[in-house]
Amino acid sequence: MSAHSSILLGAGCFWCVEAVYTGLRGIVSADPGYAGGHVDNPSYEAVCTGNTGHAEVVKVVFDPAEISLADVLRVFFTTHDPTQLNRQGNDVGTQYRSVVFGDADQQRVAQEVKAEITEEQIWPAPIVTSIEGPAHFWRAEEKHLDYFARNPETAYCAAVVAPKVAKARKLYRDRLKTPA
């Protein structure tokens, strides 16, 4: 058994990010939570005010023997809009910022993948994703875990999460745990 690695990724609402990653081979877990703020053990309600400094993130634990960090990050940069500063669609605020929290090696790989995605010109504007050092991860409340899987019919999930999951399934069909 190989050692697992983890990275914290913020790409707007953590329900979307979790749902995208849980379907991919090599992903051991994708847990929603909060990182990058100045309050210990913040609540969802506190983070939503934008006053704690946290971003909604997902702690992505992966098996590097099955999926590389670069590929984890390619999924990240192509399944949300990394050109929007402090927002994803109608979700606005620093808690929805596009951010990667990782160690020095992870930051280097993130910069390389960011440059690769920029060079491919898949986005019509510059990528504004912040690439930062390690941050403490605070796991979200139980009601947020597996949210999309448990609530696919809610208006937000149907309108926002489902299209992102569909995009990821289309782009990364060869990496799905179960064929699409």
Side-chain angles (χ1 to χ4, degrees):
M1 188 171 134
S2 61
H4 296 152
S5 297
S6 67
I7 191 162
L8 301 178
L9 303 173
C13 174
F14 51 30
W15 298 338
C16 295
V17 182
E18 176 194 40
V20 164
Y21 280 99
T22 56
L24 300 177
R25 277 191 338 269
I27 302 301
V28 176
S29 63
D31 288 326
Y34 319 104
H38 53 79
V39 174
D40 287 349
N41 201 23
S43 68
Y44 178 74
E45 292 73 22
V47 171
C48 284
T49 68
N51 295 328
T52 68
H54 292 88
E56 286 193 17
V57 299
V58 171
K59 181 178 183 179
V60 178
V61 178
F62 61 99
D63 181 348
E66 287 192 61
I67 186 169
S68 69
L69 173 60
D71 283 344
V72 167
L73 290 163
R74 285 182 188 101
V75 171
F76 169 76
F77 280 111
T78 57
T79 56
H80 82 289
D81 184 347
T83 69
Q84 294 185 348
L85 184 63
N86 297 329
R87 74 179 301 152
Q88 279 299 295
N90 292 329
D91 293 331
V92 179
T94 57
Q95 67 271 29
Y96 302 115
R97 66 189 180 270
S98 178
V99 61
V100 174
F101 293 104
D103 64 27
D105 287 337
Q106 291 172 325
Q107 290 176 63
R108 178 187 50 75
V109 174
Q111 291 289 2
E112 290 169 359
V113 173
K114 181 179 174 180
E116 171 190 307
I117 299 296
T118 298
E119 190 173 303
E120 291 175 7
Q121 296 181 335
I122 65 169
W123 296 107
I127 293 174
V128 297
T129 302
S130 177
I131 298 173
E132 302 179 18
H136 187 83
F137 173 75
W138 301 99
R139 191 169 191 227
E141 298 85 345
E142 197 69 31
K143 66 184 177 185
H144 297 292
L145 307 182
D146 297 316
Y147 191 85
F148 178 64
R150 292 183 296 105
N151 301 280
E153 302 303 321
T154 64
Y156 185 88
C157 287
V160 179
V161 184
K164 287 188 180 190
V165 171
K167 179 181 181 180
R169 287 180 142 288
K170 182 178 177 186
L171 287 173
Y172 301 101
R173 181 178 310 278
D174 62 326
R175 295 203 170 276
L176 296 176
K177 288 180 180 172
T178 55

